[in-house]
Structures are given as C-alpha cells and as structure tokens.
Amino acid sequence: MIYAYIFVMAGITYLIRMLPLTLIQKKISNIYIRSFLYYIPYACLTAMTFPAILYATKSPVSALAGFAVAILLAMKKKSLVTVALFSCGAVFAVERIMEML
C-alpha cells in the first residue's frame, strides 16, 4: 500500500509543476499578475529564513540583534559577506553579554 501512496504523491507533485508550464503558453501581460509572480521568490525565501534565524541561537534576543544588524546593513547596500560577518558578530557579542548578566 505504501507504493500506492508514493505513486499518487509523485503524480500530484508532477501535475503541480507541469500544468502551469503547459497551460500558460503566451507571455503574461497583466501588470498585477507579473508583479505578484516577481515577488514570490522573495516571499518564499523570507518564510523559510526568518524562523531559522530565530531558532539558530541560544536566545531569541541575540537572534533579533543579528537580524537587526543584517537589515540595517542590507538597507545601506553593503555586500553579502559584510552583512553576514557583522550580523554573526552581533549575535556573538549579544550572547557573550547575556552570559555575563
């Protein structure tokens, strides 16, 4: 019976991926749909990343400090390496300060 479950789920997964490619033949000209589709990757990445940020450290306080530093540096258009290094440094510093308290 397990093979039937696997076969059905494989078929459903295939249909979900195949149907939009076969049903939508022409270029999407509606500006609202194009705008919606443009932001889907960013929304999915955020939905996957934000919970991981909160649970990756010992304390949510240090996670939020690192997140805040990352947001500030990203808004100032710093490079990805700079944002990552400074946010990791902020998490490290906040965790050390919390250990002393």
Side-chain angles (χ1 to χ4, degrees):
M1 194 64 180
I2 189 75
Y3 293 115
Y5 295 144
I6 293 171
F7 180 72
V8 169
M9 290 307 298
I12 290 171
T13 302
Y14 177 73
L15 284 175
I16 289 172
R17 296 174 194 281
M18 185 257 324
L19 283 177
L21 292 174
T22 57
L23 295 178
I24 302 173
Q25 297 291 325
K26 60 181 182 172
K27 185 175 179 172
I28 298 172
S29 60
N30 187 328
I31 192 166
Y32 298 110
I33 294 175
R34 288 176 59 93
S35 175
F36 174 76
L37 293 175
Y38 177 78
Y39 288 109
I40 286 178
Y42 300 110
C44 292
L45 183 62
T46 302
M48 292 186 304
T49 305
F50 188 71
I53 289 170
L54 294 179
Y55 297 113
T57 62
K58 291 181 184 178
S59 166
V61 174
S62 62
L64 288 175
F67 181 66
V69 168
I71 292 293
L72 289 173
L73 290 175
M75 288 176 66
K76 291 186 176 196
K77 305 222 188 257
K78 300 297 180 185
S79 71
L80 180 61
V81 175
T82 304
V83 171
L85 288 175
F86 276 92
S87 60
C88 288
V91 168
F92 182 76
V94 170
E95 284 189 358
R96 296 300 158 248
I97 290 170
M98 289 177 63
E99 283 178 0
M100 290 190 287
L101 297 178

